[in-house]
Amino acid sequence: MKSSKEAVQSAAREFLHFVNRGVSPYHVVEECKSRLLKAGFTELKEAEKWDIQPSNKYFVTRNYSTIIAFAVGGLYKPGNGFSMVGAHTDSPCLRVKPRSKKTRMGCLQVGVECYGGGIWNTWFDRDLTVAGRVMVKSGDKLVHHLVHVPRPLLRIPHLAIHLQRDINDSFGPNKENHLVPLLATAVQEELETGCTSTGDACNATTTLEKHHPSLIRMLCGELGVEPDAVLDFELCLADTQPGAIGGVYEEFIFSPRLDNLHSCYCALKALTDSSTPESLAKDPNIRLVALYDNEEVGSESAQGAQSNLTELILRRLADTPQNVTAFQQAAALSYMISADMAHALHPNYQEKHDENHRPAFHKGPVIKFNSNQRYATTAVTASILREIAGRAGVPLQDVMVRNDSPCGTTIGPILSSRLGIPVLDLGAPQLAMHSIREMCCTSGVLQTTTLLKAFFELYPSVRSQVFVD
């Protein structure tokens, strides 16, 4: 696969627009929804009856942090397969506690909880803000509103080296005591408002008492609502520095949340680009993208990959009164790519990779293998993707962790075991995974999108030539 630098850069810049808007899982779903509507997809509701038609495109959300979009092939019949790509909308971050009000030594602070396995020392000395959703009472209705304050509000300052001489030898912050961002000083708040927030939220009985008034006022100002209308909220801390293209040859992407918005974007882009009337007309399958929340904390939620959401939707699409075993038939003909970022070889830590499995930038998406089923790839699923990649001209790499190294996992094994569907784990190579600022290569966006688009278009024909069971 040879692409012009202009095409690579264009794809990377469009991805950056996506990741810069996806500051929380709710904002990721909002951005996906906007793109799907523009591409002609119809929104469905779980609680309503569906009337699914061939050659049409749909999507549904759950908790507004998980979204499943699908395009029905023109030749689809109940019992035919599903061509699926799964990824996740969440990333490790700090989240505002339900009672966040803290006052220490004349400083107003916001209590936060660690979400996922972040590299927490990278959150120090960053210009932070908040983003997420706020539940508001509007008349008799309880409505959620998305909020993102674009300017820096919070900061977690380091302790000066003069007061901890060994910081460069070992830095392990206490996550409860040291990861508490500063919002304001009490003296400045008194000058600005004529009163000051004191104490904590131990005895608070209302939402307004659980958090610093200045934080509530900021949120209400963004939303245009009164403070007493705020019922509750779920807020992520986010870096205000946007993602950017870097390197002397502009070959890198420096950005937050590459894990896993890179995969979300490529999957969604591949689905919308491939689902043209001409392409769908000759497809016997349903093309589906599922972007789940809560992968970083185990997927055990109503909106996570461990839930019954995927099976419920697939059964709604497959089963009919005339064919009550359509889902079971479809499972055997289906295939899912679990798309989650892969560890590129770090030049400063070469010993961390097996010498024969060293993914590099620009050399293509990475197939992940693990005999202990931390990844779901098999020889069969790998062979199918290699055939598709060969036809699309996209290079592939392989990775397997060292025997003396722990191995992460993905939604792949979860969905493979829950659904009985063949799954392959795949990811674009990146560095600094779970840092507040991660790094990948620009070419990975176009390579992954091209591969996933080819998967949607070619999988049924390739599957028809597979002889195993």
Side-chain angles (χ1 to χ4, degrees):
M1 175 185 177
K2 292 185 178 180
S3 301
S4 69
K5 184 174 181 178
E6 182 181 355
V8 168
Q9 293 280 307
S10 176
R13 287 194 167 88
E14 180 59 28
F15 162 65
L16 282 174
H17 180 77
F18 179 88
V19 77
N20 287 334
R21 294 176 69 88
V23 286
S24 76
Y26 315 107
H27 288 83
V28 174
V29 169
E30 176 82 356
E31 181 66 14
C32 290
K33 177 179 175 179
S34 174
R35 290 170 180 260
L36 289 167
L37 289 172
K38 289 179 182 177
F41 284 67
T42 300
E43 183 173 10
L44 303 172
K45 300 293 184 183
E46 271 196 274
E48 298 174 356
K49 185 178 180 180
W50 296 356
D51 181 21
I52 304 301
Q53 298 296 326
S55 297
N56 280 269
K57 303 176 288 188
Y58 309 89
F59 70 92
V60 62
T61 66
R62 179 181 280 189
N63 191 51
Y64 216 75
S65 60
T66 288
I67 186 166
I68 295 181
F70 54 93
V72 185
L75 302 180
Y76 176 76
K77 296 178 181 179
N80 288 7
F82 297 94
S83 309
M84 301 188 290
V85 179
H88 63 89
T89 61
D90 61 321
S91 301
C93 66
L94 300 175
R95 298 196 171 189
V96 177
K97 289 183 174 182
R99 294 169 179 254
S100 72
K101 183 179 178 182
K102 289 177 177 284
T103 306
R104 292 178 181 171
M105 307 306 294
C107 291
L108 309 187
Q109 295 182 277
V110 177
V112 294
E113 181 180 29
C114 297
Y115 176 86
I119 305 177
W120 302 120
N121 58 26
T122 64
W123 286 72
F124 282 73
D125 299 329
R126 303 298 303 182
D127 300 338
L128 305 173
T129 189
V130 291
R133 69 170 169 194
V134 180
M135 291 300 299
V136 174
K137 187 166 186 178
S138 178
D140 294 331
K141 298 180 180 179
L142 309 183
V143 185
H144 92 145
H145 293 275
L146 300 193
V147 64
H148 173 213
V149 182
R151 69 179 182 86
L153 294 180
L154 301 159
R155 195 173 178 92
I156 306 171
H158 258 112
L159 180 64
I161 192 171
H162 313 78
L163 304 178
Q164 49 173 348
R165 290 292 185 181
D166 62 346
I167 186 173
N168 290 320
D169 300 321
S170 175
F171 178 60
N174 181 290
K175 289 180 284 189
E176 180 64 26
N177 298 330
H178 301 151
L179 280 172
V180 187
L182 274 65
L183 177 68
T185 60
V187 65
Q188 188 65 31
E189 181 178 59
E190 187 171 7
L191 288 172
E192 296 279 349
T193 67
C195 58
T196 186
S197 179
T198 60
D200 54 32
C202 181
N203 298 314
T205 58
T206 68
T207 301
L208 299 182
E209 295 173 344
K210 295 176 183 178
H211 310 278
H212 284 297
S214 53
L215 178 61
I216 297 294
R217 286 194 297 268
M218 174 64 69
L219 296 175
C220 291
E222 291 290 322
L223 297 174
V225 301
E226 294 299 319
D228 58 3
V230 174
L231 299 174
D232 215 328
F233 50 69
E234 293 170 296
L235 297 178
C236 305
L237 269 61
D239 194 351
T240 56
Q241 183 180 356
I245 291 176
V248 67
Y249 299 114
E250 295 190 314
E251 62 179 308
F252 303 131
I253 295 175
F254 308 140
S255 175
R257 302 178 297 280
L258 292 179
D259 176 20
N260 194 28
L261 298 196
H262 188 292
S263 302
C264 290
Y265 171 80
C266 293
L268 195 76
K269 177 72 170 171
L271 179 64
T272 55
D273 284 359
S274 70
S275 298
T276 62
E278 298 76 20
S279 179
L280 279 182
K282 51 191 178 183
D283 195 340
N285 278 15
I286 292 180
R287 305 172 183 181
L288 184 145
V289 165
L291 309 180
Y292 303 95
D293 194 7
N294 300 133
E295 187 276 344
E296 296 292 357
V297 292
S299 298
E300 293 183 333
S301 66
Q303 57 275 2
Q306 288 265 27
S307 73
N308 64 355
L309 172 63
T310 313
E311 182 176 347
L312 288 177
I313 288 179
L314 297 186
R315 285 189 180 277
R316 288 182 81 159
L317 299 178
D319 291 348
T320 67
Q322 295 75 32
N323 187 354
V324 294
T325 64
F327 173 71
Q328 290 90 325
Q329 294 171 243
L333 297 172
S334 299
Y335 184 108
M336 171 176 266
I337 295 175
S338 165
D340 207 344
M341 301 298 278
H343 298 294
L345 175 66
H346 197 306
N348 300 341
Y349 301 90
Q350 301 174 45
E351 70 280 2
K352 293 297 183 179
H353 275 76
D354 177 275
E355 61 184 5
N356 290 323
H357 300 89
R358 294 184 165 184
F361 285 161
H362 304 307
K363 293 188 177 181
V366 183
I367 301 178
K368 305 177 185 181
F369 294 86
N370 185 264
S371 301
N372 297 299
Q373 300 304 299
R374 301 291 283 173
Y375 302 131
T377 306
T378 67
V380 176
T381 58
S383 297
I384 290 172
L385 193 70
R386 292 191 199 283
E387 176 65 21
I388 292 170
R391 296 187 190 184
V394 178
L396 292 173
Q397 306 183 75
D398 303 325
V399 73
M400 177 178 279
V401 300
R402 293 167 54 99
N403 285 317
D404 57 2
S405 174
C407 181
T409 190
T410 68
I411 61 173
I414 294 171
L415 291 165
S416 179
S417 59
R418 282 195 65 90
L419 302 173
I421 287 175
V423 174
L424 176 137
D425 273 290
L426 181 84
Q430 74 158 93
L431 295 171
M433 188 179 291
H434 288 194
S435 170
I436 196 171
R437 298 285 294 184
E438 300 172 320
M439 176 180 176
C440 68
C441 60
T442 52
S443 59
V445 179
L446 186 58
Q447 287 173 335
T448 305
T449 303
T450 301
L451 176 62
L452 297 182
K453 181 174 181 287
F455 164 70
F456 285 129
E457 294 170 343
L458 299 175
Y459 170 70
S461 64
V462 173
R463 174 62 181 83
S464 68
Q465 301 303 311
V466 175
F467 301 95
V468 178
D469 295 316

